[in-house]
Amino acid sequence: MKKDYEKQIRELCGKMTLEEKVGQLQQCGPSLVGAFEVSFEELLDMMFDGRISKEEFEKLMGTAEQDFHEEDLRAGKVGSYNGIGDAATINRLQKIAVEETRLGIPLLFGYDVIHGFRTVTPIPLAESCAWDQELWERTARVAAEEATAAGVHMTFAPMVDVAKDARWGRISEGAGEDVLLNSAYGVAKVKGFQGEDLAKENSMAACVKHLAAYGAAEAGRDYNRVDLSMQRLWEEYLPPYKACIDAGARAVMPAFNDINGVPCSVNAWLLRDILRRKWGFDGLVVSDSNAIAECVCHGIAEDKKDAARQAILAGIEMDMSSNSYTAHLRELIERGEVAESVLDEAVADVLRIKYELGLFEHPYQTNETREQNTMLKLEYRAVALEAAEKSIVLLKNEDRVLPLKPGTKLGIFGTLAADRGQMTGAWAIGARPEDCISIVDALEANNVHYQYSADGTDLSKIASMSDVLIAAIGETKEESGEAASRADITLKPKDMELVRALCATGKPVVAVLFNGRPLAIPELDQTVPAIVEAWHPGLYAGSAIMHVLYGITNPSGKLTTTFPASAGQCPMYYAHTNTGRPGGKSKFTSKYLDAPVEPLYPFGYGLSYTTYAYENLALEKDEDGLWVRVQVRNTGKRAGEEIVQCYVQMPCAKRVRPVRELKAFTKTALEPGETKQAELKIAYDSLGYYDWEMNWIPYEGNLKVFVGGNVRDTISAEVILGSMSSEMCE
Ligand code: BGC
């Protein structure tokens, strides 16, 4: 049960000076160039305009002392830090806050723990392909155990930005293109991070991000504008944030982008009307990095002071790194441009989360011994391996090239097969390359007969001595994530050259893909008999891939993001509407002249070493929802786990509806020949939509229900919902 700290908060707030109050809203990161005469920005400029070389810049950075702004801290001008991830530094700074500031208010330490702290698990996009809430929660728990042992109190996660455009680099940080999956993923993460009780030393607050619709950036270019109908915003983008808040997430980070012309950082409609009033959120709102100041560049604030004014009035409480509040809030209040009560509300929310985290009672939540003893525990590593195995998606397996027979001699090619540091993918700040297992490491440790060439030298010799060739290709970790959008998401020319050369040897070729987004790989799909989508799998990359290649693990992952047939098809996603002229063979239909209508691999798709059949789909209405029952049979020779997916279509509604919408899913384990009934429930509440006037209305009429192992290959049935009969549509 949530404790009430309101009395303490009021009393403490009453003792604070204006400056101390503003200080609580200040979140700063350690600056790397504190020891220099020039600011970091100027140093960057100096490098860009050639006054210093890149090497000189890097040397300066490498030798620079970190500046933790301790003088400001002592003066009560810092409430929180971002980006410090070790117990010694955290306790040292906490001691200054507690013992040397006038009121002794403890600091809040935030950190981007996105997919593991030291035990790095697969990137979120990969992990979402497991369609497994219980696993998502467990990996979040592991992350929380390690991060809190290092002193972290709050993670800037989960990111639940629905992302339909593969070009957007940050598609790697979320659960893909579907609204239901992002909601389920986010809820599991919040539970895992926060645990049962936030005050426990191994719980950390979840800061859900980025409110809202950051994933809808136009053309997939990072930070770009978002222009959405209200209906799409509410139906397709907002539900995951709301689900996380309902699950108890204690913090929210607004997005960099604008929505329909108003940047989220100064968007009072979003942060006050929706988040606070409609959703009842009573936690902390932290800006994105430098986002308040950037409102000047957006063209909505005159200067940083105006940005600070708009942001605090809109509801941003903590300023991450832009120093807008420390520079201007006091003056704004003294001049009456911002009421002190607005500041007090923000301060109260900062203090509340500190109380809830138990920081007033136990400001030092960890120590170096706990930190050392917690990292990389055996049981955490087992979870990382399991998550990596369940994230892998088998995209193609012709002629049963896979699984490899024991004793198969392998020729391994590509730098990514041996590059440990690349295995973690984007946003793995605490990762250490030496903790990671590459494909080559895994083969070596298991005495597999293999030969390796990073760039294809010795190709012919290696090929002649191998039974199967493996091409490890795709993206480096720098090629997805923040500020890593790509206009052309095809494979690099050198990767395809390698693949062609391998195929020319006549030996079977298996492509293992490392990437943080769907890639456009039509040529690869036509060239090689087998493709294993490994994503960036984390610490146990090599072991998980080896297990899948040899069939020690039967792959079960399914895509949570559509793979386009060409880069120009983007954005390509399954839940599109039909149009009046659905793409087809005839000319005057919705399609490109130079690209197929269909994607390369549909949403929900993924192969296994066994096969499944779906039979006897039955629908039954009860009071609050629709039961969907279906028999799933393992028709192959191996045990496996199938992700059963249920979609609906509302063929005739008051606003056009998507051709498919995922409404439920479950995972079922089946022995060879075994049949099980999968049972799914769709609440009537979820079978509605917004009408033209933005009223949520229940769907009435004929509902089509589709069940299967991906969005394309399904069986279907129909049911009539509500009072309206299907004839009324005709
Ligand atoms: C990102 C956030 C992240 C923050 C703090 C920003 O650039 O957009 O997602 O949490 O940095 O590191």
Side-chain angles (χ1 to χ4, degrees):
M1 212 186 60
K2 235 161 91 181
K3 277 204 202 141
D4 184 353
Y5 296 102
E6 302 318 302
K7 189 163 167 279
Q8 286 104 306
I9 292 170
R10 255 196 320 278
E11 278 174 13
L12 186 50
C13 217
K15 292 183 199 153
M16 293 167 81
T17 64
L18 204 50
E19 206 149 56
E20 283 164 338
K21 286 180 188 173
V22 174
Q24 282 304 304
L25 311 192
Q26 164 77 344
Q27 180 176 77
C28 50
S31 138
L32 265 178
V33 285
F36 298 119
E37 298 288 299
V38 296
S39 71
F40 179 53
E41 285 74 20
E42 199 180 335
L43 205 67
L44 272 177
D45 283 348
M46 286 166 77
M47 178 184 61
F48 288 132
D49 64 22
R51 275 178 283 165
I52 55 170
S53 68
K54 188 162 175 277
E55 288 67 37
E56 280 169 315
F57 173 80
E58 274 162 11
K59 200 165 152 215
L60 283 171
M61 297 295 283
T63 52
E65 274 178 36
Q66 287 206 320
D67 174 5
F68 293 99
H69 316 282
E70 288 163 44
E71 286 202 0
D72 285 345
L73 171 58
R74 278 191 189 88
K77 290 183 184 168
V78 180
S80 173
Y81 284 91
N82 168 23
I84 305 176
D86 71 277
T89 312
I90 284 177
N91 284 343
R92 185 173 68 74
L93 296 170
Q94 191 68 299
K95 195 158 185 274
I96 299 178
V98 172
E99 294 182 9
E100 297 183 43
T101 65
R102 195 177 73 89
L103 293 169
I105 301 173
L107 290 161
L108 172 76
F109 288 90
Y111 200 83
D112 287 277
V113 188
I114 308 299
H115 52 112
F117 184 74
R118 182 78 190 272
T119 303
V120 179
T121 46
I123 55 166
L125 182 62
E127 206 195 359
S128 68
C129 295
W131 301 57
D132 189 333
Q133 282 134 294
E134 189 269 337
L135 174 73
W136 296 334
E137 186 172 336
R138 265 193 295 138
T139 50
R141 190 88 290 280
V142 168
E145 295 284 349
E146 289 189 343
T148 57
V152 175
H153 304 141
M154 173 167 77
T155 174
F156 301 114
M159 185 191 100
V160 290
D161 301 323
V162 169
K164 300 176 198 252
D165 195 322
R167 292 170 296 182
W168 191 49
R170 301 195 81 168
I171 195 172
S172 61
E173 293 177 52
E177 73 187 48
D178 184 69
V179 61
L180 178 74
L181 267 176
N182 270 285
S183 302
Y185 169 86
V187 167
K189 290 293 169 194
V190 170
K191 287 188 188 160
F193 291 144
Q194 297 197 160
E196 297 274 286
D197 175 3
L198 209 56
K200 282 203 173 150
E201 58 172 26
N202 61 354
S203 292
M204 62 182 174
C207 179
V208 177
K209 66 189 189 186
H210 305 84
L211 188 72
Y214 183 27
E218 194 171 277
R221 204 179 73 227
D222 210 358
Y223 316 122
N224 206 5
R225 77 188 304 180
V226 169
D227 201 284
L228 276 175
S229 70
M230 279 297 149
Q231 286 86 352
R232 290 195 71 190
L233 178 66
W234 281 88
E235 288 169 6
E236 299 173 30
Y237 291 92
L238 290 182
Y241 311 106
K242 163 83 163 52
C244 290
I245 288 157
D246 289 346
R250 297 308 290 139
V252 166
M253 181 188 289
F256 282 126
N257 53 276
D258 72 273
I259 293 183
N260 301 339
V262 182
C264 298
S265 304
V266 291
N267 197 323
W269 171 79
L270 184 68
L271 304 181
R272 292 209 184 269
D273 296 354
I274 307 305
L275 178 65
R276 296 283 182 197
R277 294 189 194 110
K278 201 169 167 69
W279 294 351
F281 178 68
D282 65 353
L284 178 67
V285 177
V286 188
S287 82
D288 204 340
S289 186
N290 203 43
I292 299 178
E294 286 168 20
C295 287
V296 179
C297 209
H298 272 289
I300 200 155
E302 274 171 23
D303 51 23
K304 208 159 140 175
K305 194 202 307 175
D306 189 28
R309 183 186 61 82
Q310 293 191 42
I312 188 102
L313 291 176
I316 296 227
E317 300 176 319
M318 190 170 266
D319 174 4
M320 183 191 280
S321 343
S322 87
N323 301 329
S324 306
Y325 286 178
T326 41
H328 302 292
L329 216 47
R330 187 179 168 166
E331 187 193 335
L332 286 167
I333 287 169
E334 283 170 350
R335 286 170 166 233
E337 290 183 48
V338 173
E340 193 164 351
S341 58
V342 174
L343 172 66
D344 287 352
E345 255 176 60
V347 172
D349 284 343
V350 175
L351 298 178
R352 187 173 304 110
I353 201 169
K354 291 183 176 180
Y355 275 111
E356 288 173 354
L357 282 159
L359 295 175
F360 282 90
E361 268 178 79
H362 305 288
Y364 311 104
Q365 303 221 326
T366 189
N367 54 50
E368 286 162 82
T369 315
R370 178 177 155 218
E371 182 179 33
Q372 260 168 28
N373 295 341
T374 306
M375 299 303 153
L376 298 172
K377 277 188 188 170
L378 216 56
E379 68 252 40
Y380 302 166
R381 292 196 267 151
V383 175
L385 173 61
E386 180 189 340
E389 289 176 346
K390 290 185 170 164
S391 301
I392 291 174
V393 184
L394 182 61
L395 294 176
K396 186 175 179 192
N397 190 20
E398 243 171 34
D399 309 327
R400 295 181 191 251
V401 173
L402 298 175
L404 302 171
K405 291 178 195 61
T408 306
K409 293 185 193 128
L410 296 180
I412 313 283
F413 299 88
T415 51
L416 289 168
D419 194 336
R420 295 181 186 142
Q422 284 297 335
M423 297 299 102
T424 56
W427 277 118
I429 318 173
R432 303 198 185 161
E434 65 268 27
D435 296 340
C436 296
I437 297 173
S438 69
I439 298 183
V440 166
D441 292 332
L443 298 178
E444 189 71 39
N446 287 278
N447 295 319
V448 173
H449 191 297
Y450 77 94
Q451 295 196 63
Y452 173 58
S453 162
D455 56 4
T457 22
D458 293 333
L459 167 60
S460 320
K461 200 171 121 223
I462 295 178
S464 68
M465 295 161 73
S466 309
D467 305 315
V468 173
L469 308 181
I470 310 276
I473 51 176
E475 294 183 317
T476 62
K477 63 179 184 180
E478 293 79 17
E479 286 168 328
S480 69
E482 186 175 353
S485 294
R486 293 178 62 199
D488 179 1
I489 56 164
T490 51
L491 283 169
K492 297 186 190 89
K494 77 166 177 29
D495 279 348
M496 268 322 294
E497 277 157 30
L498 173 68
V499 169
R500 286 184 212 115
L502 297 184
C503 290
T505 65
K507 293 281 164 82
V509 177
V510 178
V512 176
L513 287 177
F514 293 93
N515 43 320
R517 58 157 58 75
L519 296 172
I521 48 168
E523 186 187 344
L524 183 73
D525 178 66
Q526 281 179 9
T527 323
V528 299
I531 305 175
V532 174
E533 175 53 84
W535 309 106
H536 288 126
L539 232 59
Y540 279 89
S543 321
I545 292 165
M546 193 190 76
H547 289 174
V548 165
L549 291 177
Y550 280 91
I552 298 160
T553 299
N554 188 358
S556 60
K558 304 262 193 179
L559 296 178
T560 56
T561 173
T562 306
F563 268 54
S566 74
Q569 263 189 344
C570 289
M572 188 70 178
Y573 52 91
Y574 84 92
H576 61 84
T577 53
N578 232 352
T579 82
R581 296 183 173 194
K585 289 211 174 78
S586 70
K587 179 170 168 62
F588 297 100
T589 61
S590 180
K591 64 176 185 207
Y592 297 106
L593 289 176
D594 51 357
V597 170
E598 296 300 327
L600 184 61
Y601 304 119
F603 180 84
Y605 171 86
L607 301 172
S608 154
Y609 294 145
T610 188
T611 43
Y612 304 97
Y614 286 77
E615 288 152 336
N616 301 326
L617 172 59
L619 308 177
E620 189 199 329
K621 293 195 275 184
D622 78 4
E623 262 167 36
D624 53 353
L626 187 66
W627 283 104
V628 179
R629 298 188 180 92
V630 68
Q631 285 183 333
V632 188
R633 188 155 46 92
N634 182 341
T635 50
K637 295 200 174 69
R638 292 183 57 120
E641 282 194 321
E642 169 72 334
I643 295 163
V644 180
Q645 303 155 39
C646 176
Y647 301 86
V648 302
Q649 185 193 10
M650 304 169 187
C652 179
K654 290 188 176 132
R655 270 185 54 247
V656 293
R657 304 300 307 149
V659 292
R660 298 276 188 283
E661 291 175 77
L662 181 73
K663 287 294 169 192
F665 61 90
T666 185
K667 214 174 203 180
T668 182
L670 294 163
E671 292 299 318
E674 190 183 0
T675 302
K676 273 190 193 159
Q677 175 163 281
E679 202 172 54
L680 302 141
K681 178 95 184 256
I682 307 174
Y684 291 134
D685 285 352
S686 72
L687 293 172
Y689 59 98
Y690 288 94
D691 69 8
W692 188 255
E693 282 84 32
M694 284 301 293
N695 304 303
W696 176 259
I697 51 171
Y699 177 71
E700 291 179 345
N702 194 25
L703 183 80
K704 290 191 181 167
V705 178
F706 305 83
V707 178
N710 66 66
V711 72
R712 185 190 58 198
D713 304 312
T714 52
I715 57 172
S716 66
E718 296 184 19
V719 63
I720 308 261
L721 290 184
S723 54
M724 195 174 95
S725 79
S726 55
E727 285 83 34
M728 287 173 70
C729 291
E730 286 163 7

